[in-house]
Amino acid sequence: MASETQCGTNEVPVVSTPANEAPQMATTDTSTVASNLPPIEAEGIKKPNQTSYVWSHFILLEGERAECKYCGKTYAAGSKTYGTTNLRTHLESRCKKYPYGKKNMQDKTQMTLAFKPKKSDDAEGTNSNSLIAVSYNESMCREALARMIIVDELPFKFVEHEGFRYYSNVLQPRFIVPTRTTVARDCIRLYSIERDRLKIFLKKSTQRISLTTDTWTSIQNINYMCLTAHFIDDDWQYHKRILNFRQVPNHKGETIGKVVESLLLSWGIDKIFTLTVDNAASNSGIVTYLDRITKEWGASILDGEFMHMRCCAHIVNLIVMEGLKNLHESIVKVRNAVRYVRSSPSRYDKFKACVEKVKIASKGCVCLDVPTRWNSTYMMLENAEKFQRAFERLRVNDAQYIRYFLDDGNGKKILGPPDFEDWDNVKVFVKFLKLFYEVTLRFSGSLYVTSNVFFHELCVMKIELTNLCESEDPLLSMMARDMHEKFDKYWGDIERLNLMMFVAVVLDPRYKLRFVNFWFAKWNSGAVADDMTKKVKKTLVRMYKHYCNCDGYSNGQGQDGSSSNNVETRPIQDPHTLVKSIYKKHLAMDSLESKSEVERYLADCVEEDSPNFCILNWWKVNSSKYRLLSKVARDVLAIPLSTVASESAFSTGGRVLDPF
């Protein structure tokens, strides 16, 4: 029998000729025709009429049977009685190995090769070089679609857009894009799954939760509250989870406290460590209410003494706003110049033409600030400074630019335009405000540990303000004095601060207690500095003892949990062994091993402060060495310094809620 060939574009079906006519093959190469004929005939078998395409996929056998080339099944064939309908039905509907059949196209278990997606955010590509076997799964496609809608904050109607449906059909024709109502249900179902998973995790975990909360009033005068949890898991990974985003009746402290209590009960959370809020008066009522509730639950730590955590980013905002309360004329002039450029498309085009003429290589452009947000004022001044030469060229080329400052349309004169002295002042302001802008960014981190950077930024701000108060520039010295006053109001007295912020620095193995003591001595007399250092150490020891008691250990126990004062808990029969054991215990009385984990940690050498140092990785590696102290560090390092994690839920950039 001739060798078998697969179906392809070069296959030529054999057309039979009547008996009284000779085949018209005189001018055709016999070998070429033979190679294109399907090997279906054997000697002695009558060849049926093979005009149907199915004979390219079947082998004719004896007894008028045909065998499928792909799966090997046989069917009756070869005469007018049987025909080829059953063969065609087999190919299109039954054969699982036929690569072009409907049955195979709908087989969800069929695996195909694809590049493995990358988990990291790689700008050059989203796939790796390794191949994996994948199969079509409609439920996974719908889940991925729901995740896309949630993560990218897309409207549900996005799935009904013509462009997306066309793209999805080209990408995977088997996936039928659901309607917006179905996608909404998928998002709710996905939320329920993730919520239940987080509930189970929080119920089984032993670490405490640090919370942040913030409220917001929409343009419809509806009050909303966001509650966010921060914690470090057993694998020493930092987590931020928005627990709830819900409507509240008002912004009163007790009202918010009751809402938070009901939310915590629904989540099954009772181990609260700190609550970070801004400096609004009502927030003190929230902390007082939750402090009383956690004591009733029996889950309070050190009687809730360190629960209240003031938002450091908000305090920095108050400090800087104090310095900018009497805005200098130079800032006002620059703001008016930027407002002129941004007031109409024609003015903006003229300004861009000036930028091109003076050859300023910058992809950005000037932006107008929001007077109630000092950081936007800083960004406005920083961007405007880059385009100083463009503003000067605009003053020459655009006659309306000068007239704008002489008359605002109501007969009033406007300050401006900025001159060379104003631009010099702007440079000073930008350099001065940049420090506080960067401090705010560090305080506002929500995806990494921030509690251990508080004391460092506190030192930087205090030193900078002290130096600027003695500046020869009267403008800077006046601003610095006003800001230093506000700084001392919130951070000048250690008695007003949450000592956990200093404990977090001590638990940083690069600095420990000596770093805190050094800067306390720089700011105060020796006796005051020593007293402040003792308070910080005492707080750490109290925390450690509390965790020892919760873990079932007494305060005098060593790392292994055995008492260091008893000779032996079990009687020893051999007197020689007893003598040696007593001597070893005597040697251990003054050794480092007999001390608590806090003493041993503080006595160890500090770690090198390298750029790639990760404090969570260090504690993960040394958690076996400091078994209980590492639990203290895990909870203290999870404390957020600001409420930005909750506030950002209301102010996502680029998203505007309309009146409906």
Side-chain angles (χ1 to χ4, degrees):
M1 183 178 289
S3 62
E4 299 179 3
T5 60
Q6 298 292 331
C7 175
T9 56
N10 294 328
E11 293 184 356
V12 180
V14 178
V15 181
S16 60
T17 58
N20 57 349
E21 294 183 11
Q24 302 297 323
M25 299 177 61
T27 60
T28 307
D29 187 359
T30 307
S31 61
T32 303
V33 174
S35 64
N36 289 330
L37 292 177
I40 61 173
E41 57 178 329
E43 188 176 355
I45 301 177
K46 184 179 179 181
K47 183 170 62 176
N49 187 347
Q50 298 181 4
T51 57
S52 175
Y53 79 94
V54 299
W55 293 112
S56 298
H57 310 284
F58 281 86
I59 302 172
L60 189 62
L61 305 175
E62 295 182 0
E64 295 186 338
R65 304 285 295 179
E67 180 184 349
C68 178
K69 291 182 179 180
Y70 307 105
C71 65
K73 289 187 177 181
T74 60
Y75 293 88
S79 69
K80 294 181 180 180
T81 303
Y82 300 110
T84 58
T85 303
N86 58 339
L87 305 184
R88 186 168 60 251
T89 302
H90 169 76
L91 286 177
E92 296 179 354
S93 304
R94 299 174 183 172
C95 185
K96 294 183 178 181
K97 295 185 178 181
Y98 177 48
Y100 310 107
K102 295 180 181 178
K103 181 72 175 178
N104 186 52
M105 291 296 288
Q106 298 297 330
D107 185 8
K108 296 183 179 180
T109 62
Q110 180 68 26
M111 306 292 287
T112 58
L113 290 178
F115 288 105
K116 184 179 181 180
K118 286 185 177 180
K119 293 183 179 180
S120 59
D121 297 332
D122 190 354
E124 298 182 357
T126 57
N127 294 329
S128 61
N129 295 326
S130 58
L131 288 172
I132 57 173
V134 296
S135 62
Y136 171 71
N137 189 317
E138 185 175 0
S139 61
M140 291 183 62
C141 292
R142 286 181 56 176
E143 180 181 342
L145 179 60
R147 287 185 181 274
M148 181 191 73
I149 296 295
I150 295 172
V151 173
D152 295 337
E153 298 182 349
L154 299 172
F156 296 137
K157 196 176 181 180
F158 178 80
V159 297
E160 296 182 352
H161 291 176
E162 180 181 355
F164 175 75
R165 286 185 173 272
Y166 175 75
Y167 169 77
S168 179
N169 185 58
V170 172
L171 188 67
Q172 179 53 266
R174 285 179 284 179
F175 179 62
I176 301 176
V177 180
T179 62
R180 63 175 182 268
T181 55
T182 304
V183 170
R185 287 196 299 268
D186 289 346
C187 290
I188 296 297
R189 181 179 57 83
L190 184 59
Y191 162 75
S192 300
I193 294 173
E194 294 294 337
R195 179 192 58 193
D196 295 340
R197 187 179 302 169
L198 182 59
K199 272 187 178 181
I200 295 173
F201 171 80
L202 295 176
K203 186 176 181 180
K204 293 182 178 179
S205 60
T206 58
Q207 75 274 358
R208 291 184 172 269
I209 307 297
S210 292
L211 299 174
T212 60
T213 184
D214 194 30
T215 54
W216 172 72
T217 302
S218 68
I219 58 177
Q220 306 93 348
N221 288 327
I222 301 176
N223 303 314
Y224 292 93
M225 184 201 72
C226 182
L227 184 65
T228 310
H230 305 259
F231 59 90
I232 298 173
D233 62 17
D234 294 334
D235 198 34
W236 291 90
Q237 297 295 320
Y238 188 85
H239 293 272
K240 181 210 77 173
R241 295 288 185 270
I242 294 180
L243 299 181
N244 293 92
F245 186 99
R246 62 169 297 170
Q247 186 177 338
V248 292
N250 52 62
H251 291 188
K252 295 181 180 179
E254 187 172 352
T255 302
I256 302 298
K258 291 180 179 179
V259 173
V260 173
E261 178 192 7
S262 63
L263 297 179
L264 294 178
L265 289 174
S266 65
W267 280 95
I269 299 175
D270 58 358
K271 294 173 291 187
I272 306 301
F273 190 28
T274 61
L275 176 64
T276 305
V277 290
D278 59 30
N279 291 278
S282 60
N283 288 332
S284 298
I286 301 175
V287 177
T288 303
Y289 184 87
L290 288 181
D291 184 24
R292 184 174 72 252
I293 293 301
T294 52
K295 288 179 181 177
E296 293 176 359
W297 293 344
S300 178
I301 182 170
L302 299 182
D303 293 329
E305 183 179 347
F306 306 106
M307 177 179 287
H308 191 183
M309 188 70 198
R310 298 181 183 274
C311 176
C312 296
H314 188 244
I315 295 176
V316 173
N317 179 69
L318 295 176
I319 293 172
V320 179
M321 290 299 293
E322 184 69 19
L324 297 177
K325 62 181 179 180
N326 299 319
L327 285 179
H328 194 266
E329 287 187 356
S330 299
I331 299 178
V332 179
K333 289 180 180 180
V334 172
R335 179 184 293 144
N336 291 335
V338 173
R339 183 181 286 114
Y340 171 83
V341 171
R342 305 289 301 190
S343 60
S344 70
S346 59
R347 293 174 178 178
Y348 185 64
D349 291 339
K350 291 179 182 179
F351 181 75
K352 288 196 297 183
C354 294
V355 173
E356 294 177 358
K357 289 179 181 179
V358 297
K359 297 182 179 180
I360 297 178
S362 178
K363 296 181 180 180
C365 195
V366 292
C367 59
L368 194 62
D369 69 329
V370 180
T372 57
R373 295 176 55 194
W374 74 268
N375 52 347
S376 66
T377 303
Y378 161 75
M379 296 174 69
M380 179 192 70
L381 297 177
E382 184 188 36
N383 288 331
E385 181 191 356
K386 301 176 184 177
F387 296 94
Q388 176 183 350
R389 290 185 290 119
F391 278 107
E392 294 171 356
R393 176 61 68 92
L394 186 67
R395 190 171 186 170
V396 176
N397 295 352
D398 189 0
Q400 292 183 357
Y401 181 62
I402 301 297
R403 290 198 295 268
Y404 171 78
F405 297 98
L406 298 177
D407 185 5
D408 65 348
N410 297 321
K412 296 182 180 180
K413 186 176 180 181
I414 303 176
L415 283 176
D419 53 22
F420 290 103
E421 183 180 354
D422 294 321
W423 288 115
D424 290 339
N425 291 334
V426 166
K427 293 177 182 178
V428 174
F429 287 138
V430 169
K431 184 179 179 180
F432 176 66
L433 295 176
K434 184 178 181 180
L435 167 69
F436 297 93
Y437 180 75
E438 293 176 347
V439 168
T440 303
L441 292 181
R442 294 189 189 94
F443 283 166
S444 303
S446 59
L447 300 177
Y448 52 87
V449 175
T450 58
S451 58
N452 63 322
V453 305
F454 167 77
F455 189 67
H456 300 271
E457 302 304 330
L458 192 72
C459 296
V460 170
M461 287 187 290
K462 187 174 181 64
I463 292 174
E464 188 70 15
L465 288 175
T466 303
N467 293 336
L468 289 175
C469 286
E470 302 173 356
S471 173
E472 297 180 356
D473 189 330
L475 176 62
L476 280 182
S477 61
M478 181 185 66
M479 291 179 60
R481 282 195 296 269
D482 292 339
M483 295 172 66
H484 205 293
E485 248 182 82
K486 186 70 74 170
F487 179 91
D488 289 338
K489 177 182 177 181
Y490 288 101
W491 289 331
D493 186 5
I494 190 175
E495 299 292 342
R496 297 175 56 87
L497 298 180
N498 191 325
L499 294 180
M500 284 300 144
M501 293 299 93
F502 301 104
V503 172
V505 183
V506 176
L507 291 174
D508 191 329
R510 296 169 292 179
Y511 307 104
K512 299 187 178 181
L513 193 62
R514 280 165 280 184
F515 182 83
V516 176
N517 185 42
F518 173 81
W519 285 107
F520 281 165
K522 284 281 187 180
W523 299 341
N524 305 278
S525 61
V528 175
D530 292 341
D531 183 57
M532 296 168 68
T533 305
K534 289 178 181 177
K535 287 183 179 180
V536 175
K537 182 178 180 180
K538 182 180 178 181
T539 303
L540 176 60
V541 173
R542 288 175 62 198
M543 286 284 295
Y544 173 72
K545 290 181 178 179
H546 178 86
Y547 280 70
C548 286
N549 294 333
C550 293
D551 215 44
Y553 288 147
S554 62
N555 298 334
Q557 290 170 335
Q559 183 183 5
D560 58 354
S562 61
S563 175
S564 59
N565 298 324
N566 298 330
V567 176
E568 187 65 48
T569 58
R570 293 179 299 175
I572 302 176
Q573 301 298 330
D574 186 4
H576 295 87
T577 306
L578 178 60
V579 170
K580 294 178 181 179
S581 176
I582 295 174
Y583 179 68
K584 288 181 180 180
K585 292 294 182 181
H586 169 72
L587 293 178
M589 289 295 292
D590 297 327
S591 68
L592 192 62
E593 292 299 325
S594 66
K595 299 180 180 180
S596 68
E597 292 180 4
V598 175
E599 297 295 337
R600 288 191 284 111
Y601 169 77
L602 295 177
D604 287 345
C605 297
V606 296
E607 295 291 327
E608 183 180 355
D609 188 7
S610 60
N612 298 325
F613 181 84
C614 179
I615 188 172
L616 294 184
N617 285 343
W618 189 92
W619 276 106
K620 180 180 180 180
V621 172
N622 292 273
S623 58
S624 58
K625 182 179 180 182
Y626 307 108
R627 195 177 66 82
L628 291 176
L629 187 62
S630 63
K631 294 183 179 181
V632 179
R634 186 174 64 174
D635 291 342
V636 172
L637 295 177
I639 300 175
L641 289 180
S642 72
T643 61
V644 172
S646 295
E647 183 183 352
S648 60
F650 305 116
S651 56
T652 301
R655 182 178 62 188
V656 179
L657 300 179
D658 61 27
F660 304 100

